């Protein structure tokens, strides 16, 4: 699930969130906005039953996925826009 809020004249705050029952282990969001670095944006467990992280991004188009600590990659289950990468696997697509 994504939540998008205006942050400035050319930036937005994007909250990436997953229900904890969908992902029991630690998970991070990786994308072309953070160099696909698994340490850059780990989702933190919240009291509302989700894991989430908020990232401030310039307006644009971004490809992203989630990755568990076990190395399992998956697209955001709520995002219907996908784009296939050079490995012929889908990435979630975010346009802000």
């Amino acid at each position: 699930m994504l939540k998008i809020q205006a942050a400035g004249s050319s930036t937005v705050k994007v909250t990436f969130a997953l229900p904890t029952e969908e992902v029991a282990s630690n998970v991070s969001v990786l994308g072309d906005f953070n160099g696909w670095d698994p340490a850059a944006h780990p989702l933190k467990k919240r009291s509302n039953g989700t894991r989430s992280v908020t990232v401030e991004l310039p307006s644009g188009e971004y490809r992203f996925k989630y990755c568990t600590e076990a190395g399992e990659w998956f697209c955001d289950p709520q995002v219907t826009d996908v784009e296939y990468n050079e490995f012929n696997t889908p990435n979630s697509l975010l346009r802000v």
Side-chain angles (χ1 to χ4, degrees):
M1 156 178 36
L2 299 176
K3 181 179 176 187
I4 301 169
Q5 298 175 291
S9 61
S10 62
T11 62
V12 295
K13 287 184 180 181
V14 180
T15 300
F16 298 88
L18 295 169
T20 52
E21 67 266 4
E22 285 186 26
V23 182
S25 65
N26 292 332
V27 63
S28 295
V29 63
L30 296 77
D32 46 21
F33 55 86
N34 65 10
W36 299 91
D37 179 358
H41 296 106
L43 279 68
K44 295 186 168 118
K45 195 171 186 177
R46 308 294 180 188
S47 61
N48 66 358
T50 65
R51 293 177 185 274
S52 67
V53 66
T54 301
V55 181
E56 190 166 336
L57 300 171
S59 299
E61 185 174 279
Y62 301 95
R63 284 133 211 87
F64 72 96
K65 279 187 172 180
Y66 297 102
C67 185
T68 67
E69 64 186 344
E72 298 170 31
W73 292 71
F74 61 97
C75 289
D76 190 301
Q78 301 294 316
V79 174
T80 57
D81 289 337
V82 297
E83 181 177 282
Y84 283 81
N85 58 31
E86 65 271 18
F87 306 108
N88 203 31
T89 60
N91 291 327
S92 295
L93 192 58
L94 169 64
R95 292 181 183 101
V96 291

